[in-house]
Amino acid sequence: DLHAGRVRREFLDSCDLVITTTKHKAEVSAFWGQDKKFLVVSAVPNMDAVLKLARLPVGSRVGAVAESTAFAEAIKKMSQTVTLNALQVEAATEGDPQALRLFAEQHAVLVTSVERERLTRQAAQAGQEIIVFYYELDQGSLALAVAGILNKTN
């Protein structure tokens, strides 16, 4: 969002504390400056989604529906890291419902981002498995974020 211009520097400057993930720390530091106050937290894949992916048969063709191919790459990398049944992951980034229907027809399972869940459900075939994949804060990071926010409000 920083590179795409969806987050303006003035917005960050007006914040007392910016919370970012370990993955995005360098990007935020480069954009906003090292001397600024930000809190770094860890985000982990939602375990329910990981377990659903792990239960798929070996070699399953999985369609990843999101706004960018980075989502599909993250699914591929995660499946390789935890050896999830050698999944064949292909990406669909188009928002066209007809193109997405054709894409859905070619895949046994669709993995979608939260942002594309509604569109994915509309394009899916009856009974087709849809896994909503997202990252969430681990419990330690959540406690750290809450403490950081409470410190700023007191």
Side-chain angles (χ1 to χ4, degrees), residues 62-76:
V62 175
V65 182
E67 293 178 1
S68 74
T69 57
F71 179 81
E73 291 304 318
I75 299 291
K76 282 182 195 176

Side-chain angles (χ1 to χ4, degrees), residues 43-125:
V44 295
N46 171 267
M47 283 307 294
D48 186 49
V50 172
L51 291 173
K52 286 178 181 178
L53 288 167
R55 291 183 183 127
L56 295 175
V58 173
S60 292
R61 287 190 71 203
V62 175
V65 182
E67 293 178 1
S68 74
T69 57
F71 179 81
E73 291 304 318
I75 299 291
K76 282 182 195 176
K77 184 176 181 181
M78 192 252 330
S79 70
Q80 291 167 349
T81 302
V82 294
T83 59
L84 285 180
N85 304 335
L87 301 177
Q88 298 176 32
V89 182
E90 297 172 347
T93 57
E94 63 274 328
D96 175 55
Q98 182 59 31
L100 197 51
R101 269 191 224 77
L102 293 172
F103 180 81
E105 289 173 4
Q106 299 170 11
H107 297 86
V109 177
L110 298 174
V111 180
T112 185
S113 63
V114 173
E115 299 82 11
R116 291 285 174 108
E117 181 180 3
R118 188 172 142 254
L119 183 63
T120 301
R121 291 195 184 283
Q122 291 171 344
Q125 300 173 29

Side-chain angles (χ1 to χ4, degrees), residues 9 12 27-38:
R9 184 181 182 92
L12 292 178
E27 182 180 2
V28 173
S29 294
F31 182 79
W32 197 34
Q34 293 283 348
D35 61 331
K36 304 298 183 177
K37 294 194 178 203
F38 58 94

